Amino acid sequence: SIWNNNVLNIVYRKINETKNVILHPLGLVCKRGNWYLIGENNEIIKTYKVSSIETVSLTDEIFQRPADFNLEKYLKDSTSNFKDSIPKHLFSFKVNPSILNNIKERPFITISNTVVKDDVIYIDIKFDALYQGIEFAFGYGKDVEIIEPIEAIEIIKEKAAEVINLYKRN
């Protein structure tokens, strides 16, 4: 259907629903071992994960491929837009000076700001998800204290209490 410009009728599974989609398939790509179908639906080009397609019906209807569509450019743009849409969570931590170099050497961790105030070191790090910052702090125990965001402090308190209760039983 991609080569012959045949319209597809697919049933696509989302998290809590399935949708019938009339699709003009424009390309098929494999990224990190997952296959994706790029197609136009209601004049909007979208990406569909092949493993989430429950059924496919090939129709006799022919569609007109957009003259300016470039699969490589679409993939670059959609990947960039996706990364930009991921919320970044800024954490401020109070850290023990003895572990600062360890933190600086960690892959995928970038300190965006360091402040030394009254012999105390404060650092800022952005994480893609709230839980990542919490796990980071939890892993260092008493050597890293979350200052912000406030909601992360409440979550780490709950997690710490759960761990204490777990080991009280043993």
Side-chain angles (χ1 to χ4, degrees), residues 93 95-116 121-125 127 136 140 143-144:
F93 300 104
V95 300
N96 182 327
S98 67
I99 65 161
L100 185 59
N101 283 336
N102 177 276
I103 293 170
K104 287 180 178 178
E105 292 171 1
R106 283 184 64 164
F108 311 113
I109 297 292
T110 303
I111 298 171
S112 60
N113 190 32
T114 304
V115 174
V116 179
I121 298 175
Y122 297 90
I123 62 173
D124 294 339
I125 301 173
F127 294 92
F136 170 84
Y140 282 103
D143 290 325
V144 172

Short mmCIF file of all heavy atoms in Angstrom, two decimals, residues 93 95-116 121-125 127 136 140 143-144:
data_model
loop_
_atom_site.label_atom_id
_atom_site.label_comp_id
_atom_site.label_asym_id
_atom_site.label_seq_id
_atom_site.Cartn_x
_atom_site.Cartn_y
_atom_site.Cartn_z
N PHE A 93 19.59 20.40 44.96
CA PHE A 93 20.05 19.48 46.00
C PHE A 93 21.09 20.17 46.88
O PHE A 93 21.88 20.97 46.39
CB PHE A 93 20.73 18.25 45.38
CG PHE A 93 19.87 17.43 44.48
CD1 PHE A 93 20.02 17.50 43.10
CD2 PHE A 93 18.91 16.56 44.99
CE1 PHE A 93 19.25 16.73 42.25
CE2 PHE A 93 18.14 15.77 44.15
CZ PHE A 93 18.30 15.86 42.78
N VAL A 95 24.35 18.96 48.77
CA VAL A 95 25.18 17.76 48.68
C VAL A 95 26.38 17.82 49.61
O VAL A 95 26.93 18.89 49.87
CB VAL A 95 25.67 17.51 47.23
CG1 VAL A 95 24.50 17.32 46.29
CG2 VAL A 95 26.57 18.60 46.74
N ASN A 96 26.77 16.65 50.05
CA ASN A 96 27.99 16.50 50.84
C ASN A 96 29.17 16.73 49.89
O ASN A 96 29.25 16.08 48.84
CB ASN A 96 28.02 15.09 51.42
CG ASN A 96 29.22 14.84 52.30
OD1 ASN A 96 30.30 15.37 52.08
ND2 ASN A 96 29.01 14.00 53.30
N PRO A 97 30.09 17.65 50.24
CA PRO A 97 31.22 17.94 49.33
C PRO A 97 32.03 16.70 48.95
O PRO A 97 32.61 16.65 47.87
CB PRO A 97 32.07 18.91 50.15
CG PRO A 97 31.15 19.50 51.16
CD PRO A 97 30.11 18.45 51.45
N SER A 98 32.04 15.68 49.80
CA SER A 98 32.86 14.49 49.53
C SER A 98 32.36 13.69 48.33
O SER A 98 33.10 12.87 47.79
CB SER A 98 32.92 13.59 50.77
OG SER A 98 31.64 13.04 51.03
N ILE A 99 31.12 13.91 47.90
CA ILE A 99 30.59 13.13 46.76
C ILE A 99 30.41 13.97 45.50
O ILE A 99 29.98 13.45 44.48
CB ILE A 99 29.26 12.43 47.12
CG1 ILE A 99 28.17 13.47 47.40
CG2 ILE A 99 29.43 11.48 48.28
CD1 ILE A 99 26.78 12.89 47.30
N LEU A 100 30.75 15.25 45.56
CA LEU A 100 30.53 16.12 44.40
C LEU A 100 31.24 15.61 43.16
O LEU A 100 30.65 15.57 42.07
CB LEU A 100 30.94 17.56 44.72
CG LEU A 100 30.65 18.58 43.62
CD1 LEU A 100 29.16 18.63 43.30
CD2 LEU A 100 31.15 19.96 44.02
N ASN A 101 32.48 15.19 43.28
CA ASN A 101 33.20 14.69 42.10
C ASN A 101 32.55 13.43 41.55
O ASN A 101 32.51 13.23 40.34
CB ASN A 101 34.68 14.44 42.43
CG ASN A 101 35.46 15.73 42.49
OD1 ASN A 101 35.06 16.73 41.90
ND2 ASN A 101 36.56 15.72 43.24
N ASN A 102 32.05 12.57 42.42
CA ASN A 102 31.34 11.36 41.98
C ASN A 102 30.13 11.74 41.14
O ASN A 102 29.87 11.14 40.10
CB ASN A 102 30.92 10.53 43.20
CG ASN A 102 30.11 9.32 42.80
OD1 ASN A 102 28.91 9.41 42.61
ND2 ASN A 102 30.79 8.19 42.67
N ILE A 103 29.39 12.73 41.58
CA ILE A 103 28.21 13.19 40.84
C ILE A 103 28.62 13.76 39.48
O ILE A 103 28.01 13.46 38.45
CB ILE A 103 27.41 14.22 41.65
CG1 ILE A 103 26.80 13.56 42.90
CG2 ILE A 103 26.32 14.87 40.80
CD1 ILE A 103 26.19 14.53 43.89
N LYS A 104 29.67 14.56 39.46
CA LYS A 104 30.15 15.17 38.21
C LYS A 104 30.59 14.13 37.19
O LYS A 104 30.50 14.36 35.99
CB LYS A 104 31.31 16.13 38.50
CG LYS A 104 30.89 17.41 39.17
CD LYS A 104 32.09 18.30 39.42
CE LYS A 104 31.69 19.62 40.04
NZ LYS A 104 32.87 20.47 40.33
N GLU A 105 31.07 12.98 37.66
CA GLU A 105 31.57 11.93 36.77
C GLU A 105 30.49 10.99 36.28
O GLU A 105 30.74 10.16 35.40
CB GLU A 105 32.67 11.14 37.48
CG GLU A 105 33.92 11.96 37.72
CD GLU A 105 34.94 11.25 38.61
OE1 GLU A 105 34.68 10.10 39.03
OE2 GLU A 105 35.98 11.86 38.89
N ARG A 106 29.28 11.11 36.82
CA ARG A 106 28.20 10.20 36.42
C ARG A 106 27.76 10.49 34.99
O ARG A 106 27.55 11.65 34.62
CB ARG A 106 27.00 10.35 37.35
CG ARG A 106 27.20 9.66 38.67
CD ARG A 106 25.98 9.73 39.51
NE ARG A 106 24.86 9.02 38.91
CZ ARG A 106 23.77 8.68 39.58
NH1 ARG A 106 23.65 8.96 40.85
NH2 ARG A 106 22.79 8.05 38.97
N PRO A 107 27.60 9.44 34.18
CA PRO A 107 27.08 9.68 32.83
C PRO A 107 25.62 10.12 32.91
O PRO A 107 24.89 9.73 33.82
CB PRO A 107 27.21 8.31 32.16
CG PRO A 107 27.33 7.32 33.27
CD PRO A 107 27.88 8.03 34.45
N PHE A 108 25.22 10.93 31.97
CA PHE A 108 23.84 11.40 31.81
C PHE A 108 23.38 12.35 32.91
O PHE A 108 22.20 12.67 33.00
CB PHE A 108 22.83 10.23 31.70
CG PHE A 108 23.25 9.19 30.70
CD1 PHE A 108 23.62 7.92 31.12
CD2 PHE A 108 23.32 9.50 29.35
CE1 PHE A 108 24.02 6.97 30.20
CE2 PHE A 108 23.71 8.55 28.42
CZ PHE A 108 24.06 7.28 28.85
N ILE A 109 24.29 12.78 33.77
CA ILE A 109 23.95 13.77 34.80
C ILE A 109 24.74 15.04 34.47
O ILE A 109 25.96 15.00 34.34
CB ILE A 109 24.33 13.27 36.22
CG1 ILE A 109 23.55 12.02 36.59
CG2 ILE A 109 24.14 14.37 37.26
CD1 ILE A 109 22.07 12.19 36.80
N THR A 110 24.02 16.14 34.33
CA THR A 110 24.67 17.42 34.07
C THR A 110 24.23 18.42 35.11
O THR A 110 23.04 18.72 35.24
CB THR A 110 24.30 17.95 32.66
OG1 THR A 110 24.65 16.96 31.69
CG2 THR A 110 25.01 19.25 32.35
N ILE A 111 25.19 18.91 35.85
CA ILE A 111 24.90 19.94 36.86
C ILE A 111 24.79 21.27 36.13
O ILE A 111 25.71 21.69 35.44
CB ILE A 111 26.01 19.99 37.92
CG1 ILE A 111 26.09 18.65 38.65
CG2 ILE A 111 25.78 21.15 38.89
CD1 ILE A 111 27.29 18.50 39.58
N SER A 112 23.63 21.92 36.26
CA SER A 112 23.42 23.19 35.55
C SER A 112 23.82 24.39 36.38
O SER A 112 24.04 25.48 35.83
CB SER A 112 21.95 23.32 35.11
OG SER A 112 21.09 23.30 36.22
N ASN A 113 23.94 24.23 37.69
CA ASN A 113 24.30 25.35 38.55
C ASN A 113 24.89 24.79 39.84
O ASN A 113 24.41 23.81 40.38
CB ASN A 113 23.06 26.20 38.85
CG ASN A 113 23.40 27.50 39.54
OD1 ASN A 113 24.46 28.07 39.31
ND2 ASN A 113 22.52 27.96 40.40
N THR A 114 25.96 25.43 40.32
CA THR A 114 26.56 25.07 41.60
C THR A 114 26.72 26.33 42.41
O THR A 114 27.22 27.34 41.92
CB THR A 114 27.96 24.42 41.40
OG1 THR A 114 27.81 23.29 40.54
CG2 THR A 114 28.57 23.99 42.70
N VAL A 115 26.28 26.28 43.67
CA VAL A 115 26.40 27.41 44.58
C VAL A 115 27.03 26.90 45.87
O VAL A 115 26.59 25.89 46.42
CB VAL A 115 25.03 28.07 44.88
CG1 VAL A 115 25.15 29.15 45.94
CG2 VAL A 115 24.40 28.60 43.62
N VAL A 116 28.07 27.61 46.33
CA VAL A 116 28.67 27.30 47.63
C VAL A 116 28.30 28.44 48.57
O VAL A 116 28.59 29.60 48.30
CB VAL A 116 30.21 27.16 47.53
CG1 VAL A 116 30.81 26.86 48.88
CG2 VAL A 116 30.58 26.10 46.51
N ILE A 121 27.29 22.99 49.75
CA ILE A 121 27.22 22.99 48.28
C ILE A 121 25.79 22.67 47.86
O ILE A 121 25.18 21.70 48.33
CB ILE A 121 28.19 21.96 47.67
CG1 ILE A 121 29.63 22.34 48.03
CG2 ILE A 121 28.01 21.88 46.15
CD1 ILE A 121 30.64 21.32 47.58
N TYR A 122 25.27 23.51 46.97
CA TYR A 122 23.95 23.31 46.37
C TYR A 122 24.16 23.14 44.87
O TYR A 122 24.93 23.88 44.26
CB TYR A 122 23.04 24.51 46.63
CG TYR A 122 22.76 24.75 48.09
CD1 TYR A 122 23.59 25.58 48.85
CD2 TYR A 122 21.68 24.14 48.72
CE1 TYR A 122 23.33 25.80 50.18
CE2 TYR A 122 21.42 24.36 50.06
CZ TYR A 122 22.26 25.19 50.79
OH TYR A 122 22.00 25.40 52.13
N ILE A 123 23.48 22.16 44.31
CA ILE A 123 23.57 21.95 42.86
C ILE A 123 22.17 21.83 42.27
O ILE A 123 21.22 21.46 42.96
CB ILE A 123 24.40 20.69 42.50
CG1 ILE A 123 23.76 19.41 43.08
CG2 ILE A 123 25.85 20.85 42.94
CD1 ILE A 123 24.43 18.12 42.62
N ASP A 124 22.06 22.18 40.99
CA ASP A 124 20.82 22.03 40.24
C ASP A 124 21.05 21.04 39.11
O ASP A 124 22.07 21.11 38.41
CB ASP A 124 20.36 23.35 39.63
CG ASP A 124 19.97 24.38 40.68
OD1 ASP A 124 19.66 24.00 41.82
OD2 ASP A 124 19.96 25.59 40.35
N ILE A 125 20.10 20.11 38.96
CA ILE A 125 20.16 19.11 37.89
C ILE A 125 18.76 18.97 37.31
O ILE A 125 17.78 18.91 38.06
CB ILE A 125 20.64 17.73 38.41
CG1 ILE A 125 22.04 17.84 39.03
CG2 ILE A 125 20.63 16.69 37.28
CD1 ILE A 125 22.50 16.56 39.72
N PHE A 127 16.03 16.67 35.28
CA PHE A 127 15.70 15.28 34.96
C PHE A 127 14.48 15.27 34.07
O PHE A 127 13.62 16.14 34.15
CB PHE A 127 15.41 14.48 36.25
CG PHE A 127 16.60 14.32 37.14
CD1 PHE A 127 16.86 15.23 38.16
CD2 PHE A 127 17.48 13.26 36.97
CE1 PHE A 127 17.95 15.08 38.98
CE2 PHE A 127 18.58 13.11 37.79
CZ PHE A 127 18.83 14.02 38.80
N PHE A 136 17.74 9.49 42.17
CA PHE A 136 19.10 10.02 42.28
C PHE A 136 19.41 10.34 43.74
O PHE A 136 20.42 9.90 44.29
CB PHE A 136 19.24 11.26 41.39
CG PHE A 136 20.51 12.03 41.60
CD1 PHE A 136 21.67 11.64 40.95
CD2 PHE A 136 20.55 13.13 42.43
CE1 PHE A 136 22.86 12.34 41.13
CE2 PHE A 136 21.73 13.83 42.63
CZ PHE A 136 22.89 13.44 41.98
N TYR A 140 21.91 8.24 47.08
CA TYR A 140 23.03 8.80 47.84
C TYR A 140 22.73 8.89 49.33
O TYR A 140 23.58 9.33 50.11
CB TYR A 140 23.40 10.18 47.30
CG TYR A 140 24.21 10.11 46.03
CD1 TYR A 140 23.63 10.37 44.80
CD2 TYR A 140 25.57 9.79 46.06
CE1 TYR A 140 24.37 10.31 43.62
CE2 TYR A 140 26.32 9.73 44.90
CZ TYR A 140 25.70 10.00 43.68
OH TYR A 140 26.45 9.94 42.53
N ASP A 143 23.76 11.85 51.96
CA ASP A 143 24.71 12.76 51.33
C ASP A 143 24.08 13.72 50.32
O ASP A 143 24.73 14.64 49.84
CB ASP A 143 25.84 11.97 50.65
CG ASP A 143 26.75 11.31 51.68
OD1 ASP A 143 26.97 11.92 52.75
OD2 ASP A 143 27.24 10.20 51.41
N VAL A 144 22.81 13.46 49.95
CA VAL A 144 22.11 14.33 49.01
C VAL A 144 20.72 14.62 49.57
O VAL A 144 19.95 13.70 49.82
CB VAL A 144 21.99 13.69 47.60
CG1 VAL A 144 21.09 14.53 46.71
CG2 VAL A 144 23.37 13.55 46.96
#
